[in-house]
């Protein structure tokens, strides 16, 4: 027919709804399919009845629907090698190979890469047995940081301020608290400073920096209580200055791309850096190999260039001459979660008045754990909705988010009321 491209999007979170929203604006998009999607994504995409873990079924689905490009949202299918299978079948894929996904899938892999290519990060050691790890703690006392090597849904890290906590964390890992992810342990020096994160679109050789975005991980106001996947975010984040960003590009991102290339494991997709801004400059805390959620939603609302073109250029090694245009608006995302999250919570509670909330000026709502049941919108996950708003300042964006939230009718939902508090305090000064 035309040169429009049919796309399959893998994932079901707010991040993927925002990617669907971005892709949907492209005039190069043919039909968008989603596996498994959520109630919001499925307003923009057709449901693909395939499981991401059955690689052959995904390939067969793509052939049947003439899909030539697959965008993988979450890390688990990447670490599982989905993109390798799809590429071997001749498809373009946004997201790294199984080996390159080790940058997120194995903390030890990343630390070894940093050591080999002089990338600034905390001093560390790797262990696969309890006794040696405990002996190391004897000579490297708390404060110290204990990390399960593998994917542990954000729960495998203990920042131990006392020796007892450090010993308990090491024992937990080897006792199987994180399953296979804790069979190997990384122990690393405690870094002090302000945390920041950064996203760079990569095509194996070059990187295109995205604007800064910052999330709030803790469930409680004032950044207190247990960690979650993220309770809110805003972009831009003032802590990442232009000068810091340049330093990170030169001392961390480019050496990582070059190091991966020299290992024969080109990194394509989005590199998400967790950084500590220390007295000595920015140091790498960790990599993720996919967009952050809820940060992605703020970036997608600010992006003015064609997302489909950018993601394809990343997949095809064609980013070198690409630019991206961004709105000057500030965008905030406030996550609505089910009461009890990140612990246990009720499912299938009904959410009302979403369209009234959506009609608030500057507001865009992205779904996370939602589904339609008998015509009603119900909550099916821990993080359920992302209430995003643009504004000319963090203060204005925040006001619009909470205005929209106050119109929602969802008894069983809650949100933090202070998203962006540090940036708002800066604006007030
Ligand atoms: P990670 O999953 O590696 O991002 O770690 C989770 C959180 O633990 C980070 O966001 C930091 O707040 C903290 N953290 C991780 N590594 C260190 C470190 N070496 N020093 C201080 N804090 C750390
Ligand atoms: N918001 C942090 C993450 O996606 O890992």
């Amino acid at each position: 027919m035309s040169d429009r491209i049919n796309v399959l999007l893998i994932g079901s979170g707010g991040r993927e709804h925002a990617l669907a929203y971005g892709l949907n604006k492209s005039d190069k998009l043919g039909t968008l399919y989603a596996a498994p999607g959520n109630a919001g994504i499925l307003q923009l995409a057709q449901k693909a009845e395939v499981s991401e873990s059955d690689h052959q079924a995904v390939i067969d689905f793509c052939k049947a629907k003439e899909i030539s490009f697959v965008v993988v949202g979450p890390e688990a299918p990447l670490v599982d090698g989905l993109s390798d299978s799809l590429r071997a079948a001749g498809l373009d894929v946004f997201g790294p190979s199984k080996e390159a996904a080790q940058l997120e899938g194995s903390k030890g892999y990343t630390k070894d890469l940093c050591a080999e290519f002089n990338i600034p990060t905390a001093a560390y050691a790797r262990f696969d047995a309890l006794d040696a790890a405990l002996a190391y703690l004897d000579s490297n006392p708390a404060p110290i940081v204990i990390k399960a090597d593998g994917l542990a849904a954000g729960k495998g890290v203990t920042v131990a301020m006392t020796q007892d906590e450090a010993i308990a964390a090491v024992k937990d890992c080897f006792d199987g608290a994180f399953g296979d992810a804790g069979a190997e342990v990384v122990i690393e020096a405690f870094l002090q400073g302000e945390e920041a994160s950064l996203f760079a679109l990569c095509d194996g050789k070059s990187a295109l920096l995205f604007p800064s975005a910052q999330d709030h991980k803790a469930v409680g106001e004032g950044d207190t209580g247990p960690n979650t996947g993220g309770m809110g975010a805003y972009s831009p984040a003032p802590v990442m200055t232009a000068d810091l960003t340049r330093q990170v590009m030169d001392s961390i991102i480019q050496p990582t791309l070059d190091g991966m290339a020299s290992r024969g494991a080109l990194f394509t997709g989005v590199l998400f850096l967790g950084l500590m801004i220390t007295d000595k400059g920015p140091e790498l805390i960790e990599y993720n190999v996919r967009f952050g959620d809820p940060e992605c939603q703020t970036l997608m609302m600010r992006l003015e260039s064609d997302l489909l073109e950018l993601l394809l250029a990343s997949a095809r090694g064609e980013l070198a001459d690409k630019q991206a245009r961004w709105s000057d608006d500030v965008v905030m995302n406030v996550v609505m979660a089910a009461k009890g999250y990140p612990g246990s919570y009720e499912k299938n509670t009904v959410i009302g008045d979403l369209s009234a909330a959506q009609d608030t000026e500057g507001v865009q709502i992205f779904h996370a754990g939602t589904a339609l049941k008998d015509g009603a919108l119900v909550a099916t996950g821990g993080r359920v909705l992302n209430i995003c708003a643009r504004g000319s300042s963090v203060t204005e964006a925040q006001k619009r988010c909470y205005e929209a939230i106050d119109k929602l009718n969802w008894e069983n939902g809650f949100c933090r009321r202070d998203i962006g508090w540090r940036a708002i305090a800066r604006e007030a000064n």
Side-chain angles (χ1 to χ4, degrees), residues 40-222:
I41 295 171
L42 295 175
Q43 290 173 352
L44 303 173
Q46 293 189 26
K47 175 128 179 125
E49 298 286 356
V50 283
S51 159
E52 68 194 31
S53 56
D54 184 345
H55 297 185
Q56 190 56 48
V58 177
I59 293 167
D60 293 343
F61 183 85
C62 290
K63 300 278 179 222
K65 302 290 184 188
E66 298 184 334
I67 292 164
S68 59
F69 186 35
V70 181
V71 175
V72 185
E75 62 278 15
L78 296 168
V79 171
D80 184 43
L82 178 61
S83 58
D84 307 66
S85 305
L86 299 178
R87 278 193 197 104
L91 297 160
D92 284 317
V93 185
F94 177 73
S97 66
K98 182 176 177 135
E99 179 168 357
Q102 288 301 296
L103 287 176
E104 176 163 0
S106 164
K107 308 240 182 228
Y109 182 97
T110 297
K111 298 299 282 189
D112 288 352
L113 185 92
C114 290
E116 187 177 345
F117 297 98
N118 286 321
I119 296 167
T121 189
Y124 75 106
R126 299 176 73 168
F127 299 95
D128 57 12
L130 179 64
D131 289 349
L134 292 179
Y136 183 83
L137 287 182
D138 272 344
S139 43
N140 296 272
I144 193 140
V145 183
I146 316 297
K147 301 185 173 184
D149 182 75
L151 290 185
K155 299 187 181 79
V157 174
T158 303
V159 179
M161 299 313 286
T162 67
Q163 198 68 352
D164 285 350
E165 273 178 273
I167 292 168
V170 167
K171 286 185 175 162
D172 274 354
C173 286
F174 288 117
D175 281 350
F178 307 109
D180 287 349
E184 195 180 320
V185 171
V186 171
I187 302 183
E188 66 177 46
F190 173 72
L191 296 176
Q192 259 175 316
E194 184 164 5
E195 281 187 60
S197 55
L198 201 61
F199 297 88
L201 202 62
C202 302
D203 72 350
K205 301 176 290 288
S206 51
L208 177 65
L209 277 176
F210 275 17
S212 56
Q214 193 60 51
D215 71 345
H216 290 264
K217 289 194 176 67
V219 73
E221 275 152 31

Side-chain angles (χ1 to χ4, degrees), residues 231-247:
M231 292 301 292
Y234 55 98
S235 173
V239 43
M240 278 317 294
T241 61
D243 183 46
L244 263 180
T245 304
R246 255 191 312 276
Q247 281 183 51

Side-chain angles (χ1 to χ4, degrees), residues 181-308:
E184 195 180 320
V185 171
V186 171
I187 302 183
E188 66 177 46
F190 173 72
L191 296 176
Q192 259 175 316
E194 184 164 5
E195 281 187 60
S197 55
L198 201 61
F199 297 88
L201 202 62
C202 302
D203 72 350
K205 301 176 290 288
S206 51
L208 177 65
L209 277 176
F210 275 17
S212 56
Q214 193 60 51
D215 71 345
H216 290 264
K217 289 194 176 67
V219 73
E221 275 152 31
D223 295 318
T224 56
N227 271 353
T228 68
M231 292 301 292
Y234 55 98
S235 173
V239 43
M240 278 317 294
T241 61
D243 183 46
L244 263 180
T245 304
R246 255 191 312 276
Q247 281 183 51
V248 172
M249 189 64 153
D250 294 344
S251 68
I252 301 181
I253 298 174
Q254 197 59 54
T256 295
L257 294 184
D258 297 345
M260 293 300 282
S262 76
R263 289 183 170 191
L266 289 181
F267 184 86
T268 67
V270 65
L271 198 56
F272 167 6
L273 297 86
L275 300 164
M276 189 73 85
I277 314 304
T278 71
D279 294 347
K280 290 187 290 176
E283 299 202 29
L284 182 71
I285 299 179
E286 66 157 359
Y287 276 132
N288 295 302
V289 299
R290 36 78 193 176
F291 282 108
D293 183 342
E295 296 95 320
C296 180
Q297 293 82 316
T298 64
L299 296 175
M300 291 306 113
M301 279 181 69
R302 293 187 61 210
L303 181 66
E304 291 178 340
S305 303
D306 187 311
L307 179 67
L308 178 50

